[in-house]
Amino acid sequence: MNHKIIFVLLLVFFLVRISIAQEPLPATEKYTFENCINKFDMNKTVKTSVGYQYWFIEQKFLEDNLTVKMSVVAPKQATHVPHKHPGDETFFILEGTAQFYLNGKTTTGGPLTSFYCPVGSEHGISNAGDTELKYLVIRKYVE
């Protein structure tokens, strides 16, 4: 992964973290220097039917259930059909060309484009290009 992508990942993570109010950590919760750093490792990716995904911040790691996942999708493919869920979600494009669907409308975007999916909206993302699509999924899971 080149330095530009790493910089963008760190910037997005920093902006997301400062944009939400974070409760103080309970005394029993311990974050270490080692578990607060997550360097991409291809051996830890999760294969999907159209590519793979990598969790930078897994569900339940943070008290507020905020997650950051990178999805990689093969050309002209989608991870799933448009759907709805209780929490909001943001897609941030790292590489490739994405087609974004939101409540019946579509558009495309390339690197350094974000797409926001409000709570309860029907939304989806697919690879509109001829190369891999890499994007971050920033989502707070609502229980």
Side-chain angles (χ1 to χ4, degrees):
M1 208 176 317
N2 66 34
H3 291 12
K4 185 177 180 181
I5 292 174
I6 292 170
F7 173 76
V8 169
L9 287 170
L10 292 172
L11 178 62
V12 168
F13 177 71
F14 176 75
L15 292 175
V16 168
R17 294 304 302 149
I18 65 171
S19 69
I20 59 175
Q22 181 72 19
E23 295 292 319
L25 292 174
T28 58
E29 193 72 33
K30 296 205 189 270
Y31 292 105
T32 65
F33 182 78
E34 291 76 18
N35 74 8
C36 287
I37 299 169
N38 186 337
K39 187 175 180 181
F40 177 78
D41 181 347
M42 191 65 181
N43 294 321
K44 294 181 180 177
T45 60
V46 177
K47 186 171 174 29
T48 68
S49 62
V50 295
Y52 63 90
Q53 52 188 228
Y54 182 84
W55 291 89
F56 285 97
I57 302 174
E58 294 186 43
Q59 190 175 355
K60 306 238 186 246
F61 178 72
L62 298 177
E63 185 176 314
D64 63 0
N65 287 333
L66 178 73
T67 63
V68 177
K69 171 181 72 175
M70 180 175 68
S71 286
V72 179
V73 179
K76 310 295 183 196
Q77 299 293 314
T79 54
H80 44 69
V81 297
H83 60 283
K84 297 179 182 183
H85 47 72
D88 61 352
E89 189 168 42
T90 300
F91 303 128
F92 185 83
I93 310 306
L94 300 171
E95 296 177 15
T97 303
Q99 178 172 300
F100 177 63
Y101 171 91
L102 182 66
N103 294 328
K105 295 182 180 180
T106 60
T107 190
T108 58
L112 306 182
T113 301
S114 67
F115 300 116
Y116 176 66
C117 312
V119 173
S121 64
E122 184 176 43
H123 62 277
I125 188 169
S126 61
N127 187 343
D130 295 323
T131 61
E132 281 186 336
L133 171 64
K134 290 183 181 178
Y135 62 97
L136 296 179
V137 180
I138 303 161
R139 179 175 172 196
K140 183 176 177 180
Y141 282 82
V142 179
E143 295 183 19

